Amino acid sequence: MTKKILAVYPGNFDPPTNGHLDIISRASGLFAEVMVAVTNNVNKVHTFTLQEKIDLLQESANHFKNVKIVSFSGLLANYLETINSFVVIRGLRAISDFEYEFQMALMNRKLNKNIETIFLMPDQSYTFLSSSMVKEIAMLGGSTAAFVPKCVEEKLKKYIAILSKNV
Ligand code: COA
């Protein structure tokens, strides 16, 4: 039996990278509908606002017809219930991601026993990529063109120009 599944890809996306887009593309090919659910991870310091992250994702992923960008606050498990979805997508870049992701998947299942987490592996060229590394490269004057969509590259440049004016 094939079900029409609505899958949710949650994340902090600060900023979105080509690795995130790779996961979105794979999920878009597998599920009837994919919601990329942007939030502010309470354990992290944020560079971009929630609205900026949504706008960047919207611009980068607008060619996927079954992908919607949304935002949520509070517990992911509660949000899933409100939209009647029980499938969470997460990317696994390397073994080092596993422990955190495993813990999060099991905790979400504890909060709601219907939640299933599906792990997708990005292309191996993205296994070393992270949002903070991209920000560090940009701040130190390096090119981020190979790692992020064009709109993110431009946003990073603007962000750095504002920072350097204020120093
Ligand atoms: N390509 C590139 N980078 C990737 C990646 C990929 N495919 N997959 C993950 N990453 C990187 C990100 O760039 C990010 O790097 P950073 O730490 O340098 O910023 C890191 O891996 C993880 O980021 P991301 O997936 O964007 O968000 P997160 O792990 O911070 O998000 C939430 C976690 C939002 C899903 C989780 O905190 C959550 O569910 N929050 C809601 C509250 C809640 O329910 N809490 C209880 C959870 S059990």
Side-chain angles (χ1 to χ4, degrees), residues 12-13 17 19 39 41 44 74 76 90 93 100 129 131-132:
N12 195 39
F13 303 111
T17 67
T39 193
N41 186 333
K44 290 182 176 174
L76 175 64
R90 291 288 292 166
R93 292 163 298 171
Y100 168 64
L129 197 52
S131 301
S132 22

Side-chain angles (χ1 to χ4, degrees), residues 29-132:
L30 286 171
F31 298 97
E33 205 183 329
V34 177
M35 277 192 183
V36 179
V38 190
T39 193
N40 281 334
N41 186 333
V42 290
N43 298 311
K44 290 182 176 174
V45 176
H46 300 107
T47 303
F48 297 109
T49 65
L50 194 61
Q51 192 56 52
E52 285 173 320
K53 297 190 290 182
I54 293 169
D55 292 345
L56 291 172
L57 276 162
Q58 232 139 25
E59 196 170 336
S60 327
N62 65 5
H63 52 293
F64 298 110
K65 296 299 164 228
N66 61 343
V67 172
K68 232 194 221 169
I69 315 299
V70 296
S71 67
F72 75 101
S73 57
L75 283 178
L76 175 64
N78 290 349
Y79 175 68
L80 291 171
E81 205 150 2
T82 64
I83 57 166
N84 209 22
S85 168
F86 300 97
V87 175
V88 175
I89 305 290
R90 291 288 292 166
L92 266 191
R93 292 163 298 171
I95 294 286
S96 50
D97 282 343
F98 183 76
E99 208 160 327
Y100 168 64
E101 294 297 338
F102 187 63
Q103 201 179 358
M104 202 154 60
L106 292 184
M107 183 54 83
N108 278 325
R109 190 187 279 166
K110 189 85 188 153
L111 294 170
N112 182 330
K113 65 177 173 34
N114 296 319
I115 295 175
E116 294 293 352
T117 302
I118 312 266
F119 296 107
L120 297 178
M121 278 161 287
D123 187 274
Q124 60 183 11
S125 53
Y126 302 128
T127 52
F128 55 89
L129 197 52
S130 77
S131 301
S132 22

